[in-house]
Amino acid sequence: MNQTAPLKDEHTVIHSTFTIERTYPQSPARVFHAFADKATVRRWRVEGDGFAIAEFSFDFRVGGGEVSRFSYGGGPEIRLDAQFQDIVPDQRIVFSYRMAIGQQAMSASLTTVELTPDDGGTRLTYTEQGAFFDGVDSAKGREEGTRGLLEALAVELQRSK
Amino acid sequence: MNQTAPLKDEHTVIHSTFTIERTYPQSPARVFHAFADKATVRRWRVEGDGFAIAEFSFDFRVGGGEVSRFSYGGGPEIRLDAQFQDIVPDQRIVFSYRMAIGQQAMSASLTTVELTPDDGGTRLTYTEQGAFFDGVDSAKGREEGTRGLLEALAVELQRSK
C-alpha cells in the first residue's frame, strides 16, 4: 500500500511492546473459540456502533489471515491485514497485522495471545510488539484500544453459550 | 504448520526485542536494493556454504512475501515465511516472518529496517521484535545470527557495483 511516494515527509518509527493480563470465568476452549470462529470474531471485535464494515474476510490457520476494511462515522477507510503465524489449539494464537488509514500506513504489529487454565477459568496474556509509523498512530492509543477489545470479549463470552 | 497436535508438551513464549545499528559506505539506494532485489537477497542472505536451498520465492511489495526452505549439512528442513508490511523506498522496510524446523514452530518476528543517509553512506538500524516458542530457538542466537547477516550484507555491497 505504501510503496508509492510517501504521504508524510518525515519517516519515523516508534517501537513499543505492551502486555495486558486479564482473566475470564470461561474455559480456555471457549476463549480460544472466540478468537478462532469467524462469526464470533466479527461480533466482538469488528462490529460496533458507528462502524460501517466494507469487508471482513477471515481464514484461521497458519498461512491464512484476515482483511477488515471499515470506517467510523463517515470517516476515511481503515484497513487491517492480519496473518496467522502460530496456532496451538486452546493455548496460543500468534498473528501479525498492519493497519492503514486511507493510503497512510499506521502500524505493523506482532501479537501473542496466551491462554492458561486459571481456577476453572482462563488467564489471557495479550502481548503486542508494535512498530508505529510516522506519528500517525500511537502505542498508548493501541494499548487503550486493546483493553476495550478485551472488555468486549468479556461481554461476548457472557452472551454466547 | 503448527495446527496439529503440539510436538512439545510445554508451551512457552519468550518475547524479546533487539536493535543493531551499523553503517555502510554505500548509499541508502544501494542498501535498499540489496533488500529488494531477489537475486541479490538470495546471494547474501539465503545461500551459504553447507546450505541446501529447496525453495526461494520472493515478492517484494506490501502484501507480498518470501518463502525459503533450506537445510544445513543434511539436517532437517528449516522454513521461513515472511510478509512485507511496509515499504518506503530507500528508507524503510518492515516485514514479519515465522520460522519452523521440521514441523516445530520456532519463532515469529516483526523486523524494521531503517536507512538514513550518513556522511555519504548509510546508517542501518535493524530492530527485531520477536516471539520465541517453546524453547526451540533463542533470542540471543537470533541477534548473533543477524549480526552475521549484516556482515554478509557488507561483503555483498562491496562486491556488487
Side-chain angles (χ1 to χ4, degrees):
Chain A
M1 272 176 300
N2 200 18
Q3 271 182 280
T4 53
L7 301 178
K8 288 220 170 193
D9 284 344
E10 260 189 64
H11 289 289
T12 58
V13 184
I14 303 292
H15 295 97
S16 178
T17 298
F18 64 83
T19 299
I20 301 173
E21 267 201 22
R22 65 172 291 171
T23 56
Y24 299 97
Q26 294 81 11
S27 68
R30 281 281 310 286
V31 179
F32 182 84
H33 178 265
F35 281 92
D37 179 66
K38 181 177 180 178
T40 309
V41 169
R42 178 172 181 132
R43 198 160 49 222
W44 72 267
R45 223 206 54 217
V46 181
E47 293 182 342
D49 286 347
F51 284 91
I53 314 298
E55 180 178 354
F56 176 59
S57 64
F58 188 83
D59 182 12
F60 188 73
R61 58 181 178 84
V62 174
E66 173 185 339
V67 177
S68 295
R69 292 186 299 115
F70 55 92
S71 57
Y72 180 75
E77 182 170 281
I78 297 171
R79 181 181 172 119
L80 180 154
D81 282 83
Q83 304 85 36
F84 293 109
Q85 301 287 356
D86 190 54
I87 296 171
V88 181
D90 303 344
Q91 296 183 62
R92 185 167 73 206
I93 303 163
V94 182
F95 57 95
S96 49
Y97 73 101
R98 62 177 173 275
M99 293 194 74
I101 180 162
Q103 293 300 305
Q104 180 74 53
M106 297 164 71
S107 64
S109 299
L110 181 69
T111 300
T112 304
V113 176
E114 294 168 271
L115 307 175
T116 52
D118 183 85
D119 198 19
T122 302
R123 185 172 71 249
L124 183 151
T125 306
Y126 189 107
T127 303
E128 178 155 336
Q129 299 167 284
F132 296 90
F133 304 140
D134 309 330
V136 181
D137 200 359
S138 80
K140 187 166 163 46
R142 186 65 56 89
E143 181 172 351
E144 284 168 9
T146 301
R147 286 184 191 280
L149 287 173
L150 294 177
E151 179 58 28
L153 172 58
V155 174
E156 168 64 34
L157 290 167
Q158 285 164 356
R159 162 164 44 183
S160 55
K161 71 160 174 49
Chain B
M1 268 177 299
N2 201 20
Q3 270 181 282
T4 53
L7 302 178
K8 288 222 170 189
D9 286 343
E10 261 189 64
H11 289 290
T12 58
V13 184
I14 303 292
H15 294 98
S16 177
T17 297
F18 65 82
T19 299
I20 302 172
E21 267 201 21
R22 64 172 292 171
T23 55
Y24 298 98
Q26 294 81 12
S27 68
R30 281 281 309 287
V31 178
F32 181 84
H33 178 266
F35 281 91
D37 179 67
K38 181 176 179 178
T40 309
V41 169
R42 178 171 180 132
R43 199 161 47 220
W44 71 268
R45 222 207 55 217
V46 182
E47 293 182 341
D49 286 346
F51 285 92
I53 314 298
E55 180 179 354
F56 175 59
S57 64
F58 188 83
D59 182 11
F60 188 73
R61 58 181 177 85
V62 174
E66 172 183 340
V67 177
S68 296
R69 294 187 297 114
F70 55 91
S71 58
Y72 180 74
E77 182 171 280
I78 298 172
R79 182 182 171 120
L80 180 154
D81 282 83
Q83 305 84 35
F84 293 107
Q85 301 287 356
D86 190 56
I87 296 171
V88 181
D90 302 343
Q91 296 182 64
R92 185 167 72 205
I93 303 162
V94 182
F95 56 95
S96 49
Y97 72 100
R98 62 177 172 275
M99 292 194 74
I101 181 162
Q103 293 300 306
Q104 180 73 53
M106 297 165 70
S107 66
S109 299
L110 180 69
T111 300
T112 304
V113 176
E114 295 167 271
L115 307 176
T116 51
D118 184 83
D119 197 18
T122 302
R123 186 172 69 250
L124 183 153
T125 307
Y126 190 106
T127 303
E128 178 154 335
Q129 299 165 286
F132 296 90
F133 305 139
D134 309 331
V136 181
D137 199 0
S138 80
K140 188 165 162 46
R142 186 65 55 90
E143 181 172 350
E144 284 168 9
T146 301
R147 287 185 191 279
L149 287 174
L150 294 178
E151 179 57 27
L153 172 57
V155 173
E156 168 63 34
L157 290 167
Q158 284 164 355
R159 162 166 43 184
S160 56
K161 71 155 176 52

